[in-house]
Amino acid sequence: MENKTGSKPHVVLLASIGMGHLIPILELGKRLSTHHNLDVTIFVVASQSSAAESQILQSAMTENLCEIVELPPVNISGLVSPDAAIFTQICVIMRAIKPALRSAISGLSFHPAALIVDLFGSEAMMVADEFEMPKYVYFPSNAWLLALTVYIPTLDKVVQGEYVDQKEPLKIPGCKAIRPEDVVDPMVDRTNQQYLEYVGMGIDIPKCDGILLNIWDDMQPKTLEALRDEELLGQLCKVPVYPIGPLTRPLKPLDSRSGELFPWLDKQPSDSVIYVSFGSGGTLSLEQMVELAWGLELSQQRFIWVLELQWKTMHGVNAS
C-alpha cells in the first residue's frame, strides 16, 4: 500500500460525527501510526456544540501522531426533520459531508494510499473511487452486529411485516438468530427513515475492499467463519474481514470521582449494579433526566449512571 511519491504510505480516515464514532477512529489512527509506521490524516466533522469532543481532538493534536483536519459543519435543517432519530441525522450529515471530503482530499499534497471510513461513512467510499484508492470500513463493534448489518438487505426482502411482530427468531446464516424483541433500534419500525438508512448501510459496506473489526479471532470464531464462508454470509460479504482488536482507549489516571466509584463498586454484590448510559448521541431533556432519575430511585436497584455529554458520572444504591 505505497503511495505514488515513493515515501511511506499515507492513509486518510473519516470519522463520523459524535464521540462514540470519533474516539474509535482516533484510536485506529494512532495504532496505524505507531504500530504500522503509516502517516495518517484524520478528517472529522466539526461540532461546535460539544466541549467534550473539542477536548478529545485537542488531546489528539497534542500527541502529534496523526494530522487532524476538521471538515466544515453542514446544515441539514432542510434535509431531515428536527425530531428525526439520531441514527438518521448522522447518516444525513455524513452524506452531506461528501463534497467537503472530496475537496479536502483533492487539496492534499500527496495521493492517499487508502481511505478508511466507519459504518456511518460508508457512502463516502464513492469519493475513494473517484481518487482511485482502496477503501476500507472500520467496524468498531463485534462480528455478530456486522453479520446482521450485511444481512439486513436480505431480511428486508424476505420478511413480511414488522420484525418486532414476528413469531419466530430471525435467522442469520451461520450465526446466532435474533429474537424479534431484541432487534437493533433501526429495525423496530420499518417505515422510519433510520430503517431505510440501515438497509442502505448493509448494501454499501460490502462494496469496500476490506472490513476491519475491533475483535480478535478467538472472540467470535463461528461468526467470523460465517462471514468468510461463501455458502453462508460470504456470498454477501465478499471482501476480507480483518479482526484487528482489541483496540481500546488507554485509561487515564483516576480522578476524584473515579476514586470514589471503583471502591464503591468493589463493595457491591456480584451482578447487582445497573449500568445506565445512552452514549454521546443520547441527548436527554431536563424533564427526561428527572424522570429517569425518579425511575432509578424507585427501582430500588444499585446503579451507575453515566452522563457522557456533561462528563459526569453518578452512582447510587437504593437497596438495603
Side-chain angles (χ1 to χ4, degrees), residues 7-311:
S7 61
K8 65 180 181 179
H10 196 139
V11 298
V12 293
L13 282 63
L14 174 64
S16 297
I17 193 167
M19 278 176 46
H21 310 122
L22 173 62
I23 292 173
I25 285 290
L26 289 175
E27 294 304 320
L28 175 61
K30 294 175 187 176
R31 177 68 64 88
L32 293 174
S33 173
T34 58
H35 287 62
H36 300 279
N37 195 33
L38 301 179
D39 285 331
V40 178
T41 295
I42 301 177
F43 294 111
V44 300
V45 182
S47 174
Q48 300 173 344
S49 60
S50 174
E53 285 186 34
S54 298
Q55 291 176 359
I56 290 173
L57 285 174
Q58 187 59 46
S59 175
M61 293 176 182
T62 302
E63 292 177 355
N64 204 31
L65 295 174
C66 308
E67 181 185 10
I68 310 294
V69 177
E70 288 196 61
L71 300 176
V74 293
N75 183 357
I76 62 168
S77 58
L79 302 175
V80 66
S81 169
D83 59 355
I86 292 294
F87 190 97
T88 298
Q89 293 185 41
I90 295 175
C91 289
V92 173
I93 289 173
M94 298 311 294
R95 185 177 301 127
I97 206 70
K98 286 189 295 184
L101 175 65
R102 181 181 297 111
S103 177
I105 292 177
S106 66
L108 295 174
S109 60
F110 58 90
H111 186 276
L115 170 67
I116 303 175
V117 301
D118 61 23
L119 65 164
F120 282 97
S122 57
E123 285 194 33
M125 292 190 298
M126 65 176 61
V127 177
D129 292 334
E130 296 172 12
F131 289 92
E132 299 182 341
M133 58 178 164
K135 51 195 182 293
Y136 296 86
V137 173
Y138 177 43
F139 203 90
S141 187
N142 59 72
W144 182 87
L145 183 57
L146 173 62
L148 174 63
T149 302
V150 299
Y151 196 62
I152 188 63
T154 301
L155 290 174
D156 182 60
K157 295 176 182 177
V158 302
V159 175
Q160 300 296 318
E162 294 290 353
Y163 298 113
V164 294
D165 295 332
Q166 301 304 306
K167 304 302 181 184
E168 299 293 332
L170 304 169
K171 295 181 179 179
I172 305 172
C175 304
K176 180 181 178 181
I178 181 172
R179 299 185 304 173
E181 60 267 33
D182 292 334
V183 296
V184 294
D185 195 52
M187 295 175 63
V188 171
D189 180 2
R190 297 179 72 171
T191 65
N192 194 292
Q193 184 179 345
Q194 69 172 341
Y195 172 69
L196 302 178
E197 298 286 359
Y198 187 50
V199 173
M201 191 179 292
I203 294 172
D204 286 337
I205 287 177
K207 296 178 181 178
C208 67
D209 294 300
I211 300 173
L212 313 179
L213 260 179
N214 192 19
I215 65 167
W216 55 99
D217 283 294
D218 293 336
M219 182 177 177
Q220 294 175 302
K222 291 184 178 179
T223 307
L224 284 172
E225 182 179 350
L227 286 165
R228 293 162 173 164
D229 190 335
E230 294 184 0
E231 298 293 322
L232 299 172
L233 291 175
Q235 60 183 305
L236 301 173
C237 185
K238 298 181 180 180
V239 299
V241 177
Y242 303 104
I244 63 169
L247 197 57
T248 60
R249 188 182 182 194
L251 292 176
K252 293 183 178 180
L254 298 180
D255 59 18
S256 58
R257 292 189 298 271
S258 300
E260 298 173 0
L261 176 61
F262 289 106
W264 178 83
L265 270 175
D266 289 338
K267 297 176 182 177
Q268 309 312 311
S270 179
D271 298 325
S272 68
V273 179
I274 297 174
Y275 178 81
V276 183
S277 174
F278 296 94
S280 60
T283 304
L284 299 179
S285 66
L286 176 61
E287 292 78 9
Q288 289 172 324
M289 291 180 65
V290 171
E291 287 297 315
L292 179 55
W294 274 113
L296 290 170
E297 174 71 21
L298 295 174
S299 72
Q300 294 293 297
Q301 298 294 318
R302 300 169 175 86
F303 69 89
I304 295 174
W305 181 7
V306 180
L307 305 176
E308 295 197 23
L309 295 183
Q310 285 77 27
W311 284 85

